[in-house]
Amino acid sequence: KRRYLVEEMKVDGFKCDGGEFIWGRDLQFYDGRKGDEMRNLFPNLYVDAYYKFVKSIDKDAIVFHRAGTTGVQQHPLAWNGDQSSSFPAFKEAIRSCINSSISGISFIAYDIAGYHDETNLTTELYKRSLAQAAFSPIMQLHSGYSGDAHLERTPWNIAKLLNDKSCIDVYKKFANIRFNLIPYLYTETKYTSETAMPLMRPLLLDYPSDKNVYKYETDYILGRNLLVFPVTEPGKIKEIYFPEGDWFDFWSFKK
């Protein structure tokens, strides 16, 4: 049923969203195992079926998944989606990406500016989220309103929804930065694949003896050379702590 999508329509992969659920502890699988035993394992088997299928046709195809247990990191891309649109959820999403990455799931994303709930969606949240996502393993626009010409997270829709055309300009800026980072990200992704060193990791992993870095839960290192300080509080100036080493400003290259 999926083969024509890859062979005829040239689809490059699948986003396995929502198919990883099983319902009921007493549910019985073909090999006799029950739902309580399969609850955490089934997401692995689900995405693995898609992964093996699409790779059998196109070796460069990918699969995107959002759930699994030990071993799911064998399938390249993941996202920790469905956050609400708020600054606290933004902070939680970054922490979740960092936790996933150091747990072996390095190629991880979240939904820029949240997946649902417009109550706390602001232009500042949208722009801060875009800026952070440009310096992350995967930069993804996605929401529960895909196809809705007013609410989905494309910059032109957000600019209209929040009456702020500068959302488009900020998106253009960070999308351009993202494309310019591709050679670096390619190199660091290859390094991660070869060494298992997390692509996106907390400072404490590189500086375990520096007790000062332990309190910065959303600051992280991307690859081997980029230190990222996301702004996760609305209307505030970010406190920055530099661990030992020679650091250069990304924008001005001043030391």
Side-chain angles (χ1 to χ4, degrees):
K1 290 183 177 181
R2 300 291 179 265
R3 184 171 292 275
Y4 81 96
L5 294 170
V6 184
E7 292 182 338
E8 299 175 26
M9 299 186 69
K10 305 303 180 183
V11 168
D12 292 321
F14 295 97
K15 192 171 189 181
C16 298
D17 185 1
E20 68 273 351
F21 293 114
I22 60 172
W23 304 98
R25 293 177 179 271
D26 297 325
L27 182 69
Q28 184 169 317
F29 285 76
Y30 79 99
D31 61 358
R33 285 183 288 184
K34 295 294 186 69
D36 54 357
E37 183 180 0
M38 291 291 286
R39 180 175 176 83
N40 291 330
L41 179 59
F42 182 73
N44 288 34
L45 300 176
Y46 171 73
V47 70
D48 190 56
Y50 268 92
Y51 184 71
K52 288 177 179 176
F53 157 68
V54 74
K55 284 289 187 181
S56 72
I57 303 172
D58 180 1
K59 65 180 179 62
D60 292 324
I62 60 170
V63 169
F64 218 3
H65 65 90
R66 70 171 185 177
T69 186
T70 304
V72 77
Q73 67 271 17
Q74 297 174 71
H75 309 115
L77 307 179
W79 88 103
N80 58 8
D82 296 13
Q83 296 86 14
S84 63
S85 297
S86 68
F87 269 98
F90 175 39
K91 184 184 293 186
E92 291 164 4
I94 296 173
R95 284 204 304 256
S96 176
C97 285
I98 294 171
N99 288 338
S100 295
S101 192
I102 61 175
S103 298
I105 304 172
S106 281
F107 310 118
I108 182 79
Y110 70 97
D111 303 324
I112 289 174
Y115 176 81
H116 68 95
D117 185 6
E118 316 314 311
T119 307
N120 297 299
L121 177 61
T122 63
T123 55
E124 183 183 4
L125 173 61
Y126 190 71
K127 294 171 185 177
R128 295 297 189 190
S129 191
L130 283 171
Q132 185 275 327
F135 297 92
S136 69
I138 303 168
M139 186 179 184
Q140 173 189 237
L141 287 171
H142 178 222
S143 76
Y145 312 105
S146 296
D148 188 314
H150 302 289
L151 295 175
E152 70 175 6
R153 298 298 190 257
T154 49
W156 46 91
N157 285 338
I158 293 297
K160 185 176 180 180
L161 174 68
L162 301 178
N163 194 30
D164 186 349
K165 293 182 179 179
S166 67
C167 288
I168 297 176
D169 297 327
V170 172
Y171 174 79
K172 286 181 178 179
K173 173 182 177 179
F174 286 101
N176 183 57
I177 290 168
R178 178 71 178 188
F179 273 100
N180 280 277
L181 281 174
I182 286 177
Y184 173 78
L185 292 170
Y186 179 89
T187 300
E188 296 307 309
T189 295
K190 185 173 184 293
Y191 180 77
T192 290
S193 298
E194 293 171 345
T195 66
M197 188 65 167
L199 180 61
M200 177 183 184
R201 56 189 183 275
L203 275 63
L204 60 88
L205 198 63
D206 288 66
Y207 302 96
S209 61
D210 186 346
K211 303 303 180 184
N212 293 314
V213 304
Y214 282 63
K215 65 179 180 179
Y216 298 107
E217 295 183 340
T218 58
D219 298 343
Y220 58 90
I221 296 174
L222 183 67
R224 286 167 287 178
N225 297 293
L226 283 177
L227 183 56
V228 185
F229 303 101
V231 178
T232 58
E233 300 287 342
K236 292 188 178 181
I237 296 174
K238 173 79 175 185
E239 176 186 300
I240 293 176
Y241 174 78
F242 291 99
E244 184 180 359
D246 293 326
W247 298 99
F248 296 85
D249 182 71
F250 180 82
W251 311 106
S252 67
F253 210 65
K254 292 181 179 179
K255 188 172 181 181

